[in-house]
Structure formats: C-alpha cells, structure tokens
Amino acid sequence: MFRRYRAAAVVPLVLALSACADKAPLDTLEPKGPHARSIDQLVNPVFMIAGVVFLAVQLGVLFLVWRFRTRKDDDGSLPAQTHGNFKLEIGWTILPAMLLAGVGGASVLTLLDLEDTPADAQEITVVGQQWWWEYRYDVDGDGEDDIVTANDLVIPAGKPVNLTVTSRDVIHSFWIPGLNGKRDAVPGREHPLQMEADEPGVYRGQCTEFCGLSHGYMRMRVVALSPADYEAWEANQLEGAKVPTDALAKEGMDTFRTSCSGCHLVSGEGGNEDLFTGTAQVSGAAPNLTHFASRGIFAGGVFDLWVDQDGNDEVDVDELGQQLNVADLSAWLRDPPSRKPMYPEGSRGMPNLKLTDEQIKALVAYLETLE
C-alpha cells in the first residue's frame, strides 16, 4: 500500500520537474514589453482564480469521499439528498457565472488593448516560409520594400512596431513570447500584430504551427536597438553590397554568382542583382543575403553566425563582426540537408550544391563581407 502511495506522489512531482528549465529563452512569464505585460496581467489573476476553484473542487470531492465512505455498520441507506435545494443550486450557478463574466470582461479589455496601434508605429511585413522568416521594411512609406532581411527582426527599442504577418507557402505561427502572443501566418491573408521592447536586447521566438519537416527548426529573433543604433542599422541596410577587395572574397563572389543566384539575391555592385532580369531565378523563396553578416543567426535560426563570446548562449549585438562561426557556416554550405531536415532535393529547402572545400572557403570569405 505504501509503495502505491509513494508512486502516486512521485508521478506528479516528475511531471512538475519536467516543466522546469534553466535559462529558458521562450518564457511567457517574463514580459519584456507592454503587450506581453498586458497578457501577463490578465493571465496571473486568471490562473489564481482557476487555482482557487481547482483547490475548492478537489477539497470538496475529497471531503465527500471521506464523509460518505462505506462503513462496517452501514445499513445501505442513502445520505440526505441536496437535489431541489434552491439556495445551493442558485449559489453554484451564479458564482461560476460571475467568475466567468469577470474573466471574460478582462479578456475583452486586454484584446482591445493589444489591438490598439499608435499612429507612429514602425511598419514591418513578416513573411513565413519553409523554414525561415523574412522581414520587409517600407522605410519611406511609398508601398515598396526598401529593406528585405531574414531571421533577425530588428526594431527600435521603446517604439511601437506594427507587424503585418503573412505566409508564402503553408500556415506558420509567429511567436515572440517576451513581446506578445502568437499570430498565425496564413497564405493569402494578412494578420496584424503589435509589439514593443522595453529595452535594447535580443528576444527569441519559435514557429508554433506545424509547417513541415523542419517546423522545430524554424526559429527567429527580435533584436531591439537603441534609437541611434537603429538609425545606423537602417542606413546600412539601405546600402547595397560592395565589391570585396580581398582576393579570396572576390573568388567567393564569383562562386556565389554562378552557384547561388538561382535562389539568393545580393543587391549592389558586389552582388548578383544584375542577374535577376529573367524568370530563371526564384529569389523570394530563399533569404535575401545583401547584409547577411549583419545578422546573428542563419539557416532559420538553427545556427549562430558569430561566436558567442560571453557564453550566455546568445549572439548579442556587440558580438556581431567579432569572430565568424566558420565551422557551422562551412558545414552548412557543404551539405545543408544533413544539417537541417529538408524535403527531397529540388522541392523545398537548400540543396547540396556539391561545393568543393576551396569554393566553400571562398564563399565564407565573401559572405563575411556582406555587413
């Protein structure tokens, strides 16, 4: 008997411990912006109410089980029945209704608050693709995309941002728990999502809608910069790639133009924009690499592009440009499907281009110049 009780106590303890994690980047209980804080301020009292109701119900059940248990001297008669007790029936009908009405009202007010979009919000389009995220910035408001980047969503800290979330292929779900809730990315539809970061920093996210073989490897980051740093980032992104001066990087540029131009676009004199004049290229189904080296992650956020210098498991803004993660980048170029699950080659995902070690070394040197 004692062993059974001990096993019954161990099971919920194991389940509770399995939900714990150290340095978990996807923590909904630590809001880092006003929208996430609104959700947190709703969730906390709702959880408390649910906890009180759960405890009351469980205690009531246990009391009834103990109070009306079968005894040795039981004559088989039924205990006093409560059916038809007007006061009790009204009480346990009205009380839950009042609780639900309160929770429902607070939920509606929170939803209205989350949908409020300030007039000066930064406008960014988020496009989900198998299996990475693309971000498009219309800087001058003319309806044309002036900046196209991937994986790292860069925003100004302390300023509201209005995202328009959509998808190019299947349904995805965009989620940065520290800044707001989830929003589905659906082909042919545009869903608004507001967010704002209290302070400069890096905020992790994850696709939360099963979208194919590499769904679990479809990650993203929001990089919030100070207003001055954001302006500098924006000015840099508006410039095109320059022709590299290093001989090895020039060789890599030639390899990129001949081997990678079917999918990837690099704007500027040091890129391959001049090749995108026909219909053979399918850029848009692969990340724009014009400023590839200005990002902290690649391959849908699976790998760090730069070495984590301070050991905090995150490539911070001040670590960009210090030490390139040559090992993972080279391994990715050598055989992408072995590093990230892909559909059959030619259908979806980056194929194995059968690059030689010399070509890979040159490509790495070139990609490092795309700051």
Side-chain angles (χ1 to χ4, degrees):
M1 181 67 72
F2 177 73
R3 289 182 178 180
R4 283 186 292 178
Y5 286 142
R6 185 169 57 183
V10 168
V11 170
L13 179 61
V14 171
L15 292 176
L17 291 176
S18 67
C20 301
D22 183 33
K23 299 180 180 178
L26 306 182
D27 193 345
T28 60
L29 302 179
E30 293 188 10
K32 304 294 184 181
H35 298 90
R37 199 152 36 248
S38 293
I39 296 174
D40 188 65
Q41 290 171 352
L42 170 67
V43 167
N44 287 340
V46 169
F47 275 172
M48 292 177 63
I49 293 172
V52 170
V53 171
F54 175 82
L55 184 61
V57 170
Q58 295 305 311
L59 290 176
V61 170
L62 292 175
F63 170 77
L64 292 175
V65 169
W66 175 261
R67 176 68 177 80
F68 299 106
R69 71 190 185 281
T70 301
R71 296 178 173 84
K72 292 182 179 180
D73 57 349
D74 193 349
D75 59 2
S77 61
L78 294 175
Q81 302 297 295
T82 59
H83 176 70
N85 188 315
F86 181 77
K87 292 182 179 179
L88 276 179
E89 292 180 351
I90 289 295
W92 60 47
T93 299
I94 292 180
L95 181 59
M98 293 176 60
L99 288 175
L100 291 176
V103 171
S107 299
V108 170
L109 292 176
T110 300
L111 288 173
L112 293 175
D113 182 57
L114 292 176
E115 296 297 326
D116 185 27
T117 306
D120 61 341
Q122 171 80 48
E123 296 286 341
I124 304 173
T125 299
V126 178
V127 183
Q129 307 209 36
Q130 290 178 310
W131 292 272
W132 57 283
W133 294 93
E134 181 178 71
Y135 308 110
R136 304 172 183 174
Y137 298 69
D138 179 11
V139 177
D140 52 15
D142 63 353
E144 298 292 331
D145 297 325
D146 302 298
I147 298 173
V148 180
T149 184
N151 298 321
D152 275 354
L153 171 60
V154 181
I155 65 173
K159 181 178 180 180
V161 176
N162 184 38
L163 305 178
T164 300
V165 183
T166 186
S167 171
R168 180 183 175 273
D169 35 52
V170 299
I171 298 178
H172 305 279
S173 188
F174 188 80
W175 183 48
I176 307 291
L179 301 180
N180 205 336
K182 305 175 184 179
R183 192 59 50 104
D184 281 351
V186 182
R189 300 183 64 176
E190 295 182 344
H191 295 162
L193 178 67
Q194 291 72 40
M195 64 174 51
E196 179 180 338
D198 293 333
E199 300 176 353
V202 176
Y203 307 91
R204 283 276 182 174
Q206 168 71 44
C207 176
T208 58
E209 180 76 24
F210 181 73
C211 54
L213 193 60
S214 275
H215 160 67
Y217 297 90
M218 187 174 175
R219 305 165 189 172
M220 76 288 279
R221 304 195 316 169
V222 169
V223 180
L225 302 176
S226 67
D229 288 341
Y230 179 80
E231 289 184 7
W233 175 87
E234 188 177 88
N236 178 66
Q237 296 290 313
L238 290 171
E239 296 181 359
K242 298 178 176 59
V243 177
T245 57
D246 178 73
L248 184 61
K250 281 185 178 180
E251 182 182 338
M253 184 181 73
D254 293 337
T255 300
F256 181 86
R257 288 173 62 86
T258 57
S259 300
C260 309
S261 295
C263 297
H264 294 286
L265 171 66
V266 172
S267 301
E269 295 180 359
N272 60 346
E273 191 172 17
D274 58 306
L275 300 179
F276 283 76
T277 56
T279 58
Q281 290 76 26
V282 290
S283 180
N288 184 303
L289 301 182
T290 304
H291 293 283
F292 173 74
S294 69
R295 305 164 193 169
I297 53 178
F298 71 99
V302 178
F303 306 109
D304 291 337
L305 182 57
W306 300 93
V307 175
D308 176 24
Q309 302 286 339
D310 56 13
N312 68 344
D313 298 324
E314 193 67 79
V315 178
D316 301 311
V317 175
D318 59 355
E319 294 172 331
L320 300 179
Q322 290 194 30
Q323 183 180 349
L324 190 70
N325 184 2
V326 176
D328 280 334
L329 183 55
S330 298
W332 172 255
L333 294 173
R334 183 171 293 107
D335 187 6
S338 71
R339 304 285 287 173
K340 182 176 181 179
M342 304 283 186
Y343 280 126
E345 189 169 319
S347 172
R348 178 65 64 186
M350 184 168 169
N352 186 343
L353 299 176
K354 310 296 184 181
L355 299 171
T356 66
D357 289 343
E358 291 73 18
Q359 288 176 314
I360 291 173
K361 185 176 180 181
L363 268 175
V364 169
Y366 170 63
L367 292 172
E368 190 173 6
T369 68
L370 302 178
E371 301 176 344

